[in-house]
Amino acid sequence: AQSVTQPDIHITVSEGASLELRCNYSYGATPYLFWYVQSPGQGLQLLLKYFSGDTLVQGIKGFEAEFKRSQSSFNLRKPSVHWSDAAEYFCAVGNGGATNKLIFGTGTLLAVQP
Amino acid sequence: DVKVTQSSRYLVKRTGEKVFLECVQDMDHENMFWYRQDPGLGLRLIYFSYDVKMKEKGDIPEGYSVSREKKERFSLILESASTNQTSMYLCASSLPGQGYTEAFFGQGTRLTVV
């Protein structure tokens, strides 16, 4: 069965510092991978997605993620964090079928210190 | 832009009440989903629908039912609300495909059952 693990429940970084959020997945075939962000009291917004091709994917708001098949990972990175990046981040894997169900990780809550 | 609209942002209901959560999308998407979000558990799929009048159970369907009479509208029904159904409920929609089409989310409904 497919699953997603986000090992870090809560991360605090200083503004301007670099960020890496970890995501590991379990899936038998080629995974379809997504990162979503949720600001307080809001729905989820797609940051980026990967389904084939270049393993380094660029997204919105200066985020990128790298797919590493050998490590079953899809970590999210940003070189310099802004205070507005404080939010909860969810990694998800798609089931690859017509119904396009997404399985989500438990999320990582990012706090940004001034 | 795709818009997924949930009828209420906040809802307070009494134990035993029948509760309807409504979701409407304006992009003619075939797939629609209801997720429940709880701290530390991420998003868990309750039900999804891949066509009008078609539905399938997700991972946690107990205590819930759904209705999809029109393509744009997907309703989540709590037949007899209980306090353990206090949660954030998120509706999403997507196109059918090979898993790479992302899901678009509504703003969420925070339901409190007292």
Side-chain angles (χ1 to χ4, degrees), chain A residues 32 34 36 38 41-46 49 51 88 90 94-107, chain B residues 9 31 33 35 37 40-43 45 48 50 59 90 94-107:
Chain A
Y32 302 93
F34 306 80
Y36 282 84
Q38 184 181 35
Q42 302 298 312
L44 274 68
Q45 180 185 20
L46 180 73
K49 61 186 178 185
F51 53 93
E88 190 157 22
F90 292 93
N95 70 342
T99 53
N100 203 13
K101 288 190 295 180
L102 294 182
I103 305 299
F104 284 85
T106 51
Chain B
R9 291 294 303 274
N31 297 332
F33 309 84
Y35 287 89
Q37 182 181 9
L41 298 177
L43 278 72
L45 183 63
F48 67 99
Y50 49 91
D59 299 318
L90 291 164
S94 73
L95 291 168
Q98 294 305 305
Y100 54 85
T101 54
E102 71 260 34
F104 295 86
F105 283 82
Q107 296 286 76

Side-chain angles (χ1 to χ4, degrees), chain B:
Chain B
D1 277 355
V2 175
K3 195 164 184 183
V4 180
T5 303
Q6 295 183 229
S7 55
S8 303
R9 291 294 303 274
Y10 300 94
L11 216 50
V12 180
K13 295 292 181 180
R14 295 194 179 278
T15 301
E17 275 193 79
K18 190 169 186 175
V19 181
F20 294 84
L21 303 184
E22 306 287 347
C23 175
V24 177
Q25 51 94 3
D26 65 358
M27 283 301 291
D28 205 34
H29 285 173
E30 281 78 2
N31 297 332
M32 296 189 74
F33 309 84
W34 276 106
Y35 287 89
R36 171 176 170 160
Q37 182 181 9
D38 298 289
L41 298 177
L43 278 72
R44 294 178 291 167
L45 183 63
I46 305 172
Y47 266 97
F48 67 99
S49 169
Y50 49 91
D51 202 350
V52 174
K53 297 188 188 289
M54 306 302 287
K55 60 187 180 185
E56 283 193 24
K57 293 179 180 179
D59 299 318
I60 52 164
E62 296 78 19
Y64 303 95
S65 62
V66 289
S67 172
R68 193 167 181 199
E69 297 295 320
K70 294 185 177 181
K71 191 175 185 179
E72 67 270 18
R73 186 180 297 270
F74 191 36
S75 303
L76 180 69
I77 304 159
L78 286 65
E79 297 290 343
S80 177
S82 64
T83 54
N84 63 13
Q85 293 178 308
T86 291
S87 186
M88 170 73 94
Y89 291 87
L90 291 164
C91 175
S93 72
S94 73
L95 291 168
Q98 294 305 305
Y100 54 85
T101 54
E102 71 260 34
F104 295 86
F105 283 82
Q107 296 286 76
T109 296
R110 184 165 295 282
L111 172 67
T112 302
V113 182
V114 298

Side-chain angles (χ1 to χ4, degrees), chain A residues 8-21 81-83 85-87 89 108-114:
Chain A
D8 303 306
I9 297 171
H10 189 270
I11 284 181
T12 300
V13 300
S14 298
E15 191 168 15
S18 63
L19 172 70
E20 182 168 26
L21 302 183
V81 170
H82 188 262
W83 64 266
D85 293 325
Y89 292 80
T108 297
L109 187 61
L110 174 66
V112 181
Q113 286 181 334

